[in-house]
Amino acid sequence: MLLQSLDKRLCFAYFSSIAASPSSALSHRRLRLLPYRSHATPTRFSAKCAAGSRPGPAAQQDDAAPEYRLPPKEIQEIMDVPPNPSYYVSPRRDRIMFLKRRAMPPLSELAKPDKILAGIRIDPSSNARSRMSFYTGISVHLLMDDGSLGPEKVVHGYPDGAKINFITWSPDGQHMAFTVRYGDEVSNGSNLALWVADAESGQARPLFKSTDIRLNAIFELFVWVDNSTLLVCTVPSSRVDSPKKPLIPFGPRIRSNEQKNVIRMRATKEMLKDLHEEELFNYYATSQLVLISLDGIVMPVASPAIYVSLNPSPDEKYLMLTSVHQPYSSIVSYKRFPRKVELWTVDGRFVREVCDLPLAENIPIAPNSVRKGKRLIRWRPDMPSTFYWVEAQDGGDANVEVSPRDIVYMEPAEPLNGEKPQVLVKLDLRYRKISWCYGLHALVYEYWHKTRRTRTWVISPDCKEFSPRLLFDRSSEDAYSSPGSPMMCRTRAGTLVIAKIKTSEETYILMKGLGATPKGSVPFLDLLNITTGTKERIWESGKEKYYESVLALMSYCPECEIQLNQLKLLISKESRSEATQYYLSIWPDKTEVQLTSYPHPYPQLASLQKEKIRYKREDGVKLTATLYMPPGYNPSKDGPLPCLIWSYPGEFKSREAAGQVRRSPNKFARINNNFPLLWLARGFVILADPTIPIIGEGDQEANDRYIEQLIASAEAAVNEVVRRGVAHRDKIAVGGHSYGAFMTANLLAHAPHLFCCGIARSGAYNRTLTPFGFQKEVRTLWEATDTYIKMSPFILANKIKKPILLIHGEEDSKVTTAMQSTQFYDVLKRHGAPCRLVILPFEGHRYTARESIMHVIWETDRWLQKYCASN
């Protein structure tokens, strides 16, 4: 046993000492770009393969120079392809908005100074969140009677180069509101402005006439109250310059638990550290709410506060305002600060306080634990001004056995004659959500993590004599039995409710699902009798070539009662070689009208070979993976190639669920900056997302057998690609991001015979630094010491002999801090392991800047060339 050879006290003392050591991250010096020069040689299938090269020796240059590098040209061309536009359908389903995007932001955007307060990053120049992605253009198409798109209307009027965010339709779909950010700070001290555009003409204009009114977009910025009025968060007019940090601190930083509170929390970063940061949080987050009409008339509402949520009632008479307030905390984010919910009328009259919840530092770490008191307070979307909420009966502690566990309540905004809240439903599991269906019915979902049990109840909220009826009772892990989710439609007020299908007697609803089957996912649409539970399949995706999916209901009816023969659906369609396109399906003939014609984003990989493969691991558990091979590659003629296996382990409660197929072989091969398909262009075989199930059946804890199951799954994957003759046994690399990086390090420590090298991005390798749980592990370090130690590749650094590339964002705010990689690299180096550490300035858990992404690809390519292809 490892613990028998390692004194626990010395072990923990060592962990504590290194946890306090400073990070050895790279300095933020200005970096210049250098291309990677590959000495590649052609292969027999190079004439057909867009890459045109088999991996060759590593570049002969100073690979340790602190300069951003560029990957090979064939990879650059793939990464620089701009993404297709996003779509946004109008509430009345008569228009579709397309939003243009760019590929990757420059590093200079991440390098802009910001404030990190209470778990959020703030851009002082715009009083908004920093590092926001944005859109570069808006166009609108009218949906014609025959289902085709009308002429494009480009939204215009805003400055060139503007960064567009927070785009919303008005409830009637006649206008769009959005924010515009400029490249540089403007004269009035803010580079953020609220604009409105006419959907018919595309003409856009600033909404506020006065430049003295500045927006506050730290939390929810604005919401439509009705078709011509918006509720907007603005900077209080009384606000002056930001608080300056005193040269001499207010006093020492003190944290005390003399009350003996039991507070178990997972590792956190970026919380408020002192009184000065509390002042800054108040300064930037405090808003004055104003109502503004489309003609520019402004009226203040309520007092300045830190508003985190704005919700107008469906009848446009009330405002539900949620704010946070002091006392703050240094160990939790703003989400757990004291929280107040108030009701106001739209003309500025205070109605009442719904609740004022205290600071919530002590929510247990057990899954399904929640905050005490009223939570998830929402307006009923099918009623004028009635709201509902949930209250835990177990004090929010999932470890407490109690029945019922949650109660859902409902009451009007202004109760009459001392009217008490109505109990909607009592639940023995933890409440998850409600889908409403105009008072006649509603679907209530509950869930319990430990057993993976999920149940769906049918209730009749406006009929007290109707008892809740169980509709579905199943395991959340059982993808094959998933009934799908109800399709929603827009009411006249713009809210979402379940769409009903008109019949003479019974009530039917539409259920759409992914349709997991042993042969792959086949999305479906079912007609469900909500009274009897019987269902009929009325549509499903093709199975031979295309993967189709229902995206939205395009039939508009304010009462949300639709005739089946008048059904219109927005559908996506893709294949292995054809990019995703959008279609309108018109019933009863199910005629399909193509709406988009996007080209293949990377034609050089258009003929890549893709196959969904099935195999078993040693204990009989069925496994699945997607095998990709370069265009034109023939294993029998070209022989085995270098192979990259990229995965992420998953946790299950049953062997049957772990073995289910959850993907489709017909989906288009999309490439993003974390996906290994790029190396198809370099002549690699890719085994993408092989399932690595870690199973804990019954009362067993999955992680107690983590290493054993991890090795068995990896060994089965390696044996399969070797058996097929597509991979050379001595040229198989393994990699992953986050928990996949943790997997990679463990495989190199425990199964070095399987892989020639590894790539680990943004991982956590020392589980004693995450002592209150990680992933789905709910036991603490002190409750499962042996498991924590055995699962930590940091402890086995002396066993790692194969080359490992460690990459981490310097500003990773998750439990996977950059310190995890720097410390792991230090101990690997001290044991003589071939390793390399790359710390990316300004990057977080996932990497976004073009310079960073290109350099990560260059580093990965260099590693694979040197330690895999040339092995």
Side-chain angles (χ1 to χ4, degrees):
M1 293 289 290
L2 176 62
L3 289 177
Q4 293 175 342
S5 61
L6 183 64
D7 186 275
K8 292 184 182 179
R9 289 170 295 178
L10 292 176
C11 178
F12 287 117
Y14 177 60
F15 297 153
S16 300
S17 66
I18 60 174
S21 65
S23 171
S24 58
L26 297 179
S27 61
H28 291 177
R29 68 183 68 184
R30 184 179 296 275
L31 303 177
R32 62 191 180 91
L33 299 175
L34 290 178
Y36 170 60
R37 299 178 178 86
S38 172
H39 301 278
T41 55
T43 68
R44 277 182 289 175
F45 58 92
S46 60
K48 298 179 181 179
C49 179
S53 63
R54 179 189 287 269
Q60 303 298 315
Q61 58 186 36
D62 182 7
D63 293 333
E67 298 159 322
Y68 285 109
R69 307 293 181 90
L70 292 172
K73 183 180 179 182
E74 55 265 32
I75 289 181
Q76 285 187 59
E77 291 173 348
I78 294 173
M79 292 305 300
D80 281 330
V81 173
N84 289 333
S86 301
Y87 72 90
Y88 191 0
V89 181
S90 67
R92 300 195 176 176
R93 298 329 200 213
D94 57 348
R95 290 184 172 91
I96 299 181
M97 183 194 310
F98 290 95
L99 307 170
K100 296 179 182 178
R101 302 176 287 171
R102 62 176 181 180
M104 294 172 282
L107 187 64
S108 58
E109 289 194 9
L110 274 64
K112 290 180 179 179
D114 58 9
K115 306 289 184 182
I116 305 175
L117 304 168
I120 57 177
R121 305 183 75 108
I122 296 171
D123 176 6
S125 69
S126 59
N127 220 100
R129 299 287 182 97
S130 62
R131 304 186 176 194
M132 288 192 298
S133 59
F134 58 87
Y135 299 105
T136 59
I138 309 172
S139 62
V140 180
H141 293 263
L142 192 66
L143 200 60
M144 310 304 287
D145 292 338
D146 62 358
S148 63
L149 293 180
E152 179 184 43
K153 292 283 186 181
V154 177
V155 175
H156 57 280
Y158 53 80
D160 293 338
K163 302 172 183 178
I164 301 169
N165 288 100
F166 304 109
I167 304 172
T168 60
W169 287 101
S170 61
D172 61 2
Q174 297 302 305
H175 294 87
M176 301 91 74
F178 54 92
T179 61
V180 168
R181 283 182 290 152
Y182 309 99
D184 300 308
E185 190 169 329
V186 294
S187 57
N188 68 347
S190 174
N191 65 356
L192 184 72
L194 181 60
W195 286 60
V196 65
D198 181 85
E200 181 67 29
S201 66
Q203 178 65 50
R205 57 182 173 85
L207 187 57
F208 286 98
K209 298 178 181 178
S210 172
T211 57
D212 293 333
I213 298 177
R214 294 177 291 166
L215 304 181
N216 191 335
I218 301 301
F219 296 108
E220 188 166 9
L221 172 58
F222 69 87
V223 63
W224 288 91
V225 175
D226 56 37
N227 294 328
S228 60
T229 309
L230 295 92
L231 179 66
V232 186
C233 284
T234 66
V235 173
S237 58
S238 59
R239 195 175 89 171
V240 291
D241 293 338
S242 63
K244 305 298 181 184
K245 186 170 185 177
L247 295 176
I248 300 176
F250 295 111
R253 296 179 185 175
I254 299 173
R255 297 168 66 179
S256 174
N257 191 37
E258 295 178 61
Q259 300 84 4
K260 300 181 181 180
N261 294 324
V262 177
I263 298 177
R264 294 182 172 187
M265 293 186 56
R266 295 194 173 184
T268 55
K269 282 186 65 180
E270 302 182 348
M271 304 300 112
L272 297 175
K273 295 187 283 292
D274 53 33
L275 289 175
H276 174 63
E277 291 201 347
E278 289 191 17
E279 289 182 341
L280 287 174
F281 181 71
N282 282 332
Y283 177 83
Y284 288 110
T286 299
S287 294
Q288 171 63 61
L289 296 178
V290 300
L291 286 166
I292 180 168
S293 62
L294 290 181
D295 56 10
I297 299 175
V298 177
M299 183 185 80
V301 176
S303 302
I306 300 176
Y307 294 104
V308 296
S309 177
L310 315 173
N311 288 295
S313 61
D315 65 359
E316 305 169 356
K317 294 181 179 180
Y318 297 94
L319 303 173
M320 183 183 292
L321 308 179
T322 304
S323 60
V324 298
H325 59 82
Q326 292 176 312
Y328 301 142
S329 169
S330 62
I331 62 173
V332 296
S333 76
Y334 77 91
K335 296 178 181 179
R336 295 195 185 184
F337 287 174
R339 178 172 291 239
K340 181 186 295 185
V341 180
E342 296 178 336
L343 293 183
W344 292 70
T345 61
V346 293
D347 57 7
R349 177 177 64 87
F350 175 74
V351 178
R352 64 183 171 116
E353 181 183 285
V354 176
C355 66
D356 190 355
L357 304 178
L359 181 66
E361 287 184 329
N362 58 346
I363 298 177
I365 61 174
N368 292 127
S369 293
V370 296
R371 191 171 193 156
K372 295 179 182 178
K374 295 181 179 179
R375 71 181 198 275
L376 301 174
I377 306 170
R378 305 283 189 270
W379 293 110
R380 269 187 60 172
D382 60 337
M383 293 287 283
S385 53
T386 298
F387 65 93
Y388 65 99
W389 71 91
V390 189
E391 289 189 44
Q393 307 302 298
D394 54 9
D397 188 349
N399 295 308
V400 175
E401 295 295 334
V402 66
S403 177
R405 189 171 293 277
D406 270 340
I407 298 180
V408 184
Y409 297 92
M410 174 181 72
E411 70 176 348
E414 296 190 73
L416 302 174
N417 303 321
E419 182 182 358
K420 292 185 178 181
Q422 175 186 339
V423 174
L424 272 178
V425 65
K426 298 180 179 181
L427 303 171
D428 285 334
L429 308 183
R430 186 65 77 204
Y431 168 87
R432 204 165 193 177
K433 66 176 181 178
I434 294 183
S435 296
W436 299 87
C437 191
Y438 262 126
L440 181 64
H441 294 100
L443 300 183
V444 183
Y445 300 82
E446 61 176 343
Y447 171 70
W448 197 245
H449 170 82
K450 189 173 182 179
T451 59
R452 308 299 197 270
R453 188 180 186 186
T454 180
R455 296 193 295 198
T456 305
W457 297 88
V458 179
I459 65 170
S460 184
D462 299 336
C463 181
K464 296 181 181 180
E465 293 75 24
F466 185 91
S467 298
R469 180 173 54 80
L470 187 62
L471 184 62
F472 303 118
D473 187 353
R474 47 181 293 274
S475 168
S476 62
E477 291 183 341
D478 184 5
Y480 293 169
S481 70
S482 174
S485 56
M487 294 208 69
M488 314 298 284
C489 69
R490 292 278 180 182
T491 66
R492 197 181 303 276
T495 59
L496 284 171
V497 301
I498 298 175
K500 292 185 293 184
I501 300 299
K502 282 185 177 181
T503 61
S504 57
E505 299 177 358
E506 303 288 351
T507 300
Y508 289 86
I509 64 174
L510 296 170
M511 301 286 286
K512 67 169 184 174
L514 295 177
T517 73
K519 294 184 178 180
S521 293
V522 183
F524 64 83
L525 187 66
D526 282 350
L527 194 62
L528 173 69
N529 185 318
I530 204 169
T531 303
T532 65
T534 58
K535 56 187 178 181
E536 175 190 355
R537 186 140 302 177
I538 60 174
W539 177 92
E540 71 176 6
S541 169
K543 300 176 183 178
E544 299 303 320
K545 179 180 180 181
Y546 289 104
Y547 177 85
E548 301 165 286
S549 182
V550 174
L551 302 177
L553 184 63
M554 299 297 287
S555 308
Y556 177 67
C557 177
E559 293 75 31
C560 292
E561 290 189 0
I562 301 168
Q563 297 282 359
L564 190 60
N565 61 3
Q566 296 177 358
L567 202 60
K568 293 182 180 180
L569 303 171
L570 182 63
I571 292 176
S572 66
K573 180 184 288 190
E574 60 191 281
S575 72
R576 303 182 193 193
S577 59
E578 298 174 41
T580 303
Q581 308 293 349
Y582 299 121
Y583 293 77
L584 190 68
S585 177
I586 304 174
W587 293 44
D589 299 329
K590 301 182 183 179
T591 304
E592 290 189 352
V593 180
Q594 187 168 349
L595 303 179
T596 61
S597 298
Y598 297 128
H600 197 295
Y602 3 92
Q604 60 271 54
L605 294 179
S607 57
L608 64 80
Q609 303 173 66
K610 175 184 177 182
E611 181 182 355
K612 189 69 64 178
I613 63 174
R614 295 278 277 161
Y615 52 98
K616 291 183 179 181
R617 74 182 188 192
E618 191 177 25
D619 59 1
V621 174
K622 297 177 181 179
L623 305 177
T624 309
T626 305
L627 179 64
Y628 294 91
M629 293 171 286
Y633 170 65
N634 186 327
S636 61
K637 295 181 180 179
D638 299 307
L641 296 178
C643 176
L644 173 59
I645 296 179
W646 197 270
S647 191
Y648 191 100
E651 197 172 298
F652 295 88
K653 290 299 293 181
S654 73
R655 295 163 56 92
E656 292 74 18
Q660 291 184 350
V661 180
R662 291 171 168 80
R663 307 184 192 95
S664 168
N666 296 327
K667 295 200 73 173
F668 181 70
R670 296 175 182 84
I671 295 177
N672 58 44
N673 59 57
N674 281 326
F675 202 52
L677 290 191
L678 291 169
W679 281 273
L680 289 170
R682 300 287 281 161
F684 272 68
V685 163
I686 309 298
L687 190 67
D689 298 320
T691 48
I692 311 282
I694 310 299
I695 305 167
E697 295 184 297
D699 294 330
Q700 293 179 340
E701 295 291 345
N703 283 337
D704 287 345
R705 297 179 56 241
Y706 173 85
I707 299 299
E708 172 190 337
Q709 297 187 70
L710 176 67
I711 295 173
S713 298
E715 196 160 36
V718 168
N719 289 341
E720 181 64 17
V721 291
V722 171
R723 183 191 68 80
R724 288 171 172 264
V726 298
H728 194 292
R729 185 175 287 277
D730 295 329
K731 295 184 178 183
I732 300 177
V734 63
H737 188 93
S738 192
Y739 206 49
F742 175 71
M743 168 205 74
T744 297
N746 265 310
L747 285 172
L748 295 186
H750 294 279
H753 61 288
L754 294 178
F755 303 103
C756 60
C757 64
I759 299 105
R761 303 178 185 171
S762 299
Y765 311 102
N766 182 354
R767 284 302 166 196
T768 68
L769 298 181
T770 57
F772 288 100
F774 55 92
Q775 295 294 111
K776 294 183 179 179
E777 178 58 69
V778 299
R779 297 170 296 174
T780 69
L781 170 63
W782 299 272
E783 294 167 337
T785 306
D786 194 45
T787 298
Y788 273 68
I789 298 294
K790 285 181 177 178
M791 288 183 68
S792 296
F794 180 91
I795 305 298
L796 294 176
N798 62 320
K799 302 292 186 182
I800 296 178
K801 306 300 181 184
K802 295 294 179 69
I804 182 169
L805 172 63
L806 304 173
I807 303 175
H808 219 117
E810 188 175 40
E811 298 185 14
D812 192 337
S813 61
K814 295 185 177 291
V815 296
T816 52
T817 63
M819 181 179 65
Q820 289 272 5
S821 287
T822 57
Q823 291 180 355
F824 192 34
Y825 171 79
D826 287 342
V827 296
L828 287 170
K829 183 177 180 181
R830 291 171 188 177
H831 285 94
C835 55
R836 182 178 174 94
L837 172 65
V838 180
I839 299 293
L840 302 170
F842 305 114
E843 293 288 356
H845 189 63
R846 294 195 178 274
Y847 323 134
T848 58
R850 183 181 189 277
E851 293 91 333
S852 301
I853 292 172
M854 291 298 189
H855 187 83
V856 166
I857 296 170
W858 179 87
E859 291 280 359
T860 305
D861 189 63
R862 171 190 176 275
W863 207 252
L864 292 174
Q865 300 285 347
K866 185 174 183 179
Y867 296 109
C868 183
S870 302
N871 186 34

